[in-house]
C-alpha cells in the first residue's frame, strides 16, 4: 500500500515537471553541432514498471556493501540505438511494456551556447531524465522531441529514458494496427549545441501557385531575438533580410528565379538562414503542388502519381528501418518500379528518408497514425494527434518531396470522426498552407454488384481523395474489378491509395490460388483495367512495396506474422507482380510523353 501511495505521489510530481520543461523543437538538427548518442545503451526490461519506485532514473551506485539498490544499469543487457528492441533480442519480439535505457557521455557546456537532448523518435511514450533530473515526457512513436539540458550538463552525464510501447485505447494509433508495434529508441539520439539565441525553425517555399515567388518565415528564440533575419541562396545570388517581430518571427516575400524541383530534375539549392550570430544551412527544392478540378498539378502541369505504399520496415532483417542503407534500398526499389511517388504509410518515417526522397526525386504522401478506430470523442486523443501532426510538419515542411499530408487511414464514418479529422485538416492547413491535404478512405457504398460510391463526408476537408479498396482479395475475385464502376461524391483528384493481395515469394499455382505469385500478378492486371475506368484518377500507390511484420498475420508456413502483400519479399526477392506494375508504369510514362508531345 505504502508503495502504491508513493508511486501516485511520484507520478504526480513527475507530470508537473514534464510541463515545466517542455521546450522548442529544433528543426534541421543535422545542420547543427551535434554529439551523437547513438550506439550501445544499457537496458532494463521492466514489465511491471518497478523502476519508477526504485528510482532507476537516479542511476545510483551502492556506496557501501550495506546499501540496497536493486538495479544496476552497467551490468544489465545492452541494446543498440537507434533500433527497436523487438528484433534485437529474441525474447522481446512480442514484448509490449516499459524498458529503461541508460547511457553515460562526456560533455561540458561551452560559454554562450545552449544544449538540447534530441530524440528522432521513441515508440510510444518516453520519459526522460538527465543527471537524475526529470526533463519531461513525450507521447507519439514516430515524431521528434527535445529538451533543453543547459543547467544540468556536468562533464560526465547520465541519460535515462523509460520507453513504453504499451498499446493504449486512447492512443494514436489505438489498440489495433496491421504493423508491428516496434518499441524502443527507434531513431537517433543527439545532443545538439546551438548559440544562446538561434533559429529554431524556418519555412522557405514557393508561394502557393507561384513559381517565381518565395514566401518564407524564420523564427528565432533566445534572449536577443531582435534585429533582422536573412535568407541567402548563394547559387542565384539572392540575399533577403526582414525584421524580427516581438515574438522572434520574420516574414518574407520576394521574387526568385529558380530551377523547379521535380521527380525528373530534383534540384536542391543551398539555403543559408542567419540571425544575430547564428547561421544554419539547408538544402531546399522549390516546386508548387496544387489541384485543378480532378487533376494534381506539379509546377502548374498535370502529373500522374505513379506510386507505391510502403512501411518503414528494414529490408533483409525486418525491424524498424533507420539507416541510410535501409532508406536507400527501399526508395531505390520504388524508383526501379518506375515510381515518381511514394505513400509513406501509416506514420511519419525517419527524417533522413524524407531528405533522401528530396534528392532522388520522389514525391511523398506523409501520414500520421490516425488509423482505423480511435477515440474520436476524447479531447486528449485529438491533442495527441495534433501534436504528432505539428511535429512532423515542423520537421519536414521544407522538403520539396512532401506533396501530401495525410490525416488518417480507413477511419469508420461517424459525425465525431468527421469532426476530429476535419479539425486536423484545418490545423494542417494553418501550419502549412502549401501542401495538399489527403486521407485514405475505405468505407464505400455498394450501390450494385458492379458499382461503388465513395461518399465519405471527410472528402469535404480534403484536396485529394485517397481510396483503399481490396477487390479481388478481401472482396470478390480479381476479375470482378473489370466491370466495376466508381463514383465519387466530391469532384476532386482521386489516388487509389491501396489495392493488392498476398503472395509468398516463390509460391506458385494458378491465378485462382491464394498466396501464389500468379494470383497477385493477375489481381494487379485486373486492377489496372478498373483504374482505367476512373476519370478522376490522379495517382495510385498499391499495397505494398515489401512484405512487413504484422502480429495479425497468423497463417503458418505462409504468413508467419508477415503481411505478404509485398511486391518484394522481406528478403528482397521481387515477385511477379513487381514486374507487372513496372511494365504498367513504363507504359504510363510513354503515354505521358505522348500527351506532352501533342
Ligand atoms: C488496409 C490497411 C493496411 C493493411 C492492409 C492489408 O486496408 O490500410 O494497413 O495492412 O489493408 O493488408 O489488409
Amino acid at each position: 500500500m505504502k508503495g502504491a501511495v508513493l508511486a501516485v505521489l511520484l507520478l504526480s510530481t513527475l507530470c508537473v515537471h514534464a510541463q515545466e520543461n517542455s521546450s522548442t523543437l529544433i528543426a534541421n538538427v543535422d545542420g547543427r553541432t551535434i554529439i551523437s548518442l547513438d550506439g550501445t545503451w544499457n537496458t532494463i526490461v521492466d514489465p511491471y514498471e518497478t523502476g519508477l519506485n526504485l528510482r532507476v532514473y537516479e542511476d545510483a551506485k551502492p556506496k557501501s556493501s550495506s546499501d540496497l539498490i536493486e538495479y544496476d544499469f552497467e551490468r544489465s543487457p545492452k541494446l543498440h540505438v537507434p533500433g527497436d528492441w523487438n528484433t534485437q533480442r529474441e525474447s522481446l519480439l512480442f514484448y509490449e511494456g516499459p524498458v529503461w535505457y541508460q547511457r553515460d557521455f562526456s560533455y561540458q557546456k561551452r560559454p554562450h551556447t545552449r544544449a538540447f537532448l534530441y530524440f528522432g523518435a521513441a515508440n510510444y511514450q518516453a520519459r526522460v531524465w538527465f543527471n537524475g533530473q526529470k526533463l519531461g515526457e513525450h507521447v507519439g512513436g514516430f515524431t521528434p522531441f527535445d529538451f533543453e539540458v543547459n543547467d544540468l550538463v556536468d562533464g560526465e552525464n547520465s541519460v535515462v529514458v523509460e520507453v513504453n510501447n504499451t498499446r493504449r485505447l486512447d492512443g494514436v494509433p489505438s489498440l489495433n494496427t496491421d504493423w508491428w508495434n516496434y518499441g524502443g529508441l527507434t531513431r537517433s539520439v543527439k545532443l545538439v549545441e546551438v548559440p544562446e539565441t538561434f533559429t529554431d525553425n524556418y519555412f522557405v517555399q514557393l508561394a502557393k501557385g507561384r513559381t517565381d515567388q518565395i514566401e518564407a518565415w524564420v523564427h528565432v528564440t533566445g534572449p536577443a531575438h531582435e534585429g533582422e533575419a536573412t535568407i541567402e541562396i548563394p547559387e542565384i545570388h539572392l540575399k533577403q533580410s526582414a525584421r524580427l517581430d516581438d515574438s522572434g518571427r520574420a516574414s518574407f516575400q520576394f521574387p526568385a528565379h529558380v530551377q523547379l524541383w521535380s521527380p525528373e530534375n530534383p534540384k536542391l539549392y543551398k539555403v543559408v538562414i542567419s540571425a544575430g550570430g547564428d547561421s544554419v544551412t539547408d538544402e531546399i527544392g522549390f516546386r508548387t503542388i496544387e489541384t485543378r478540378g480532378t487533376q494534381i498539378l506539379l509546377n502548374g502541369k498535370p502529373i500522374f502519381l505513379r506510386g507505391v505504399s510502403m512501411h518503414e520496415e528494414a529490408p533483409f532483417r525486418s525491424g524498424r528501418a533507420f539507416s541510410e542503407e535501409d532508406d536507400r534500398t527501399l526508395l531505390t526499389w520504388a524508383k526501379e518500379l518506375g515510381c515518381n511517388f511514394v505513400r509513406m504509410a501509416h506514420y511519419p518515417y525517419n527524417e533522413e528518408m524524407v531528405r533522401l526522397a528530396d534528392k532522388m526525386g520522389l514525391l511523398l504522401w506523409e501520414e500520421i497514425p490516425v488509423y482505423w478506430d480511435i477515440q474520436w470523442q476524447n479531447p486528449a486523443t485529438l491533442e495527441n494527434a495534433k501534436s504528432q501532426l505539428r511535429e512532423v510538419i515542423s520537421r519536414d515542411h521544407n522538403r520539396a518531396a512532401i506533396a501530401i499530408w495525410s490525416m488518417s487511414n480507413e477511419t469508420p464514418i461517424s459525425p465525431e470522426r468527421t469532426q476530429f479529422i476535419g479539425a486536423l485538416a484545418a490545423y494542417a492547413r494553418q501550419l502549412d498552407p502549401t501542401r495538399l491535404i489527403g486521407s485514405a478512405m475505405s468505407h464505400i457504398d455498394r450501390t450494385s454488384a458492379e458499382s461503388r460510391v465513395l461518399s465519405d463526408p471527410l472528402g469535404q476537408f480534403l484536396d485529394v481523395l485517397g481510396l483503399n479498396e481490396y477487390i479481388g482479395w478481401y472482396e470478390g475475385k480479381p476479375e470482378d474489378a473489370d466491370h466495376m464502376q466508381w463514383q465519387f461524391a466530391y469532384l476532386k483528384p482521386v489516388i487509389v491509395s491501396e489495392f493488392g493481395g498476398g503472395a509468398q515469394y516463390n509460391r506458385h499455382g494458378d491465378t485462382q490460388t491464394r498466396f501464389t505469385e500468379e494470383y497477385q500478378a493477375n489481381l494487379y492486371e485486373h486492377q489496372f483495367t478498373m483504374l482505367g475506368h476512373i476519370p478522376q484518377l490522379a495517382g495510385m500507390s498499391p499495397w505494398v512495396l515489401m512484405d512487413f511484420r504484422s502480429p495479425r498475420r497468423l497463417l503458418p508456413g505462409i504468413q508467419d506474422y508477415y503481411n505478404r502483400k509485398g511486391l518484394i519479399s522481406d528478403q528482397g526477392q521481387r515477385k511477379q507482380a513487381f514486374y507487372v506494375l513496372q511494365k504498367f508504369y513504363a507504359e504510363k510514362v510513354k503515354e505521358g510523353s505522348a500527351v506532352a508531345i501533342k
Side-chain angles (χ1 to χ4, degrees), residues 451-483:
S451 63
R452 299 284 181 273
V453 182
L454 179 71
S455 60
D456 189 327
L458 203 51
Q460 67 190 290
F461 301 115
L462 308 177
D463 299 308
V464 285
L465 312 173
L467 166 67
N468 290 1
E469 53 81 18
Y470 279 90
I471 295 169
W473 190 254
Y474 294 125
E475 185 198 339
K477 295 199 176 325
E479 295 70 25
D480 296 346
D482 297 351
H483 302 288

Side-chain angles (χ1 to χ4, degrees), residues 204 216 218 229-233 238-240 252 254 271-273:
V204 186
V218 171
T230 302
I231 298 176
E232 268 182 273
I233 310 180
L238 187 145
K239 185 170 179 175
Q240 291 281 334
F252 299 77
F254 50 84
V271 179
V272 186
I273 293 104

Side-chain angles (χ1 to χ4, degrees), residues 1-60:
M1 188 60 201
K2 216 167 132 206
V5 172
L6 191 70
V8 169
L9 274 175
L10 204 61
L11 265 173
S12 51
T13 35
L14 291 175
C15 291
V16 175
H17 279 241
Q19 280 154 17
E20 277 170 9
N21 285 322
S22 69
S23 64
T24 181
L25 180 59
I26 306 177
N28 187 14
V29 276
D30 285 339
R32 298 291 181 178
T33 305
I34 54 169
I35 293 170
S36 170
L37 299 182
D38 290 349
T40 306
W41 288 56
N42 304 317
T43 55
I44 300 174
V45 178
D46 182 14
Y48 282 31
E49 215 170 21
T50 314
L52 271 185
N53 278 341
L54 295 177
R55 294 173 176 261
V56 302
Y57 46 82
E58 288 177 351
D59 185 20

Side-chain angles (χ1 to χ4, degrees), residues 178 346 371 409-410 468 470 474 498 543 548 553 563 565:
D178 187 23
H346 289 295
Y371 183 87
N409 180 75
E410 299 189 349
N468 290 1
Y470 279 90
Y474 294 125
E498 285 181 31
W543 193 255
F548 60 95
R553 305 295 167 176
N563 183 316
K565 295 189 190 72

Side-chain angles (χ1 to χ4, degrees), residues 239-441:
K239 185 170 179 175
Q240 291 281 334
S241 298
R243 223 121 268 281
L244 292 162
D245 67 15
D246 290 349
S247 67
R249 191 180 164 104
S251 303
F252 299 77
Q253 197 163 35
F254 50 84
H257 298 286
V258 285
Q259 255 187 69
L260 298 175
W261 183 100
S262 69
E264 296 73 33
N265 179 32
K267 166 75 186 162
L268 301 177
Y269 287 91
K270 180 175 158 190
V271 179
V272 186
I273 293 104
S274 358
D278 179 43
S279 164
V280 62
T281 301
D282 206 339
E283 281 192 282
I284 300 182
F286 298 98
R287 52 100 199 91
T288 60
I289 188 92
E290 301 159 275
T291 64
R292 183 175 60 203
T294 59
Q295 290 180 321
I296 295 175
L297 309 181
L298 177 72
N299 299 326
K301 293 192 212 90
I303 182 170
F304 184 82
L305 299 178
R306 304 184 307 272
V308 70
S309 291
M310 57 183 281
H311 264 286
E312 194 194 30
E313 180 110 343
F316 310 112
R317 63 175 163 79
S318 303
R320 185 63 68 227
F322 58 78
S323 70
E324 146 90 29
E325 201 186 337
D326 294 339
D327 298 347
R328 192 173 287 281
T329 304
L330 292 166
L331 297 190
T332 303
W333 283 340
K335 276 270 173 184
E336 193 187 323
L337 269 173
C339 293
N340 58 10
F341 170 64
V342 167
R343 174 176 177 222
M344 291 183 160
H346 289 295
Y347 41 77
Y349 293 9
N350 67 77
E351 180 174 352
E352 294 72 24
M353 179 126 58
V354 179
R355 284 182 177 270
L356 190 59
D358 244 13
K359 293 199 182 98
M360 290 174 69
L362 283 163
L363 285 159
L364 300 178
W365 157 310
E366 193 160 32
E367 193 159 293
I368 52 167
V370 174
Y371 183 87
W372 293 347
D373 213 2
I374 67 171
Q375 287 192 336
W376 309 112
Q377 306 206 52
N378 184 340
T381 302
L382 178 59
E383 276 317 303
N384 177 349
K386 275 182 152 178
S387 43
Q388 297 192 43
L389 184 63
R390 183 177 57 249
E391 287 158 352
V392 67
I393 292 181
S394 104
R395 193 193 70 178
D396 290 343
H397 59 184
N398 286 307
R399 303 285 73 79
I402 305 277
I404 298 169
W405 298 120
S406 167
M407 302 296 105
S408 57
N409 180 75
E410 299 189 349
T411 53
I413 299 174
S414 74
E416 296 76 22
R417 181 292 315 241
T418 305
Q419 204 183 1
F420 185 110
I421 301 178
L424 285 179
Y427 190 48
R429 288 184 198 284
Q430 179 196 325
L431 295 171
D432 176 5
T434 70
R435 301 310 195 292
L436 305 179
I437 303 298
S439 172
M441 296 172 283

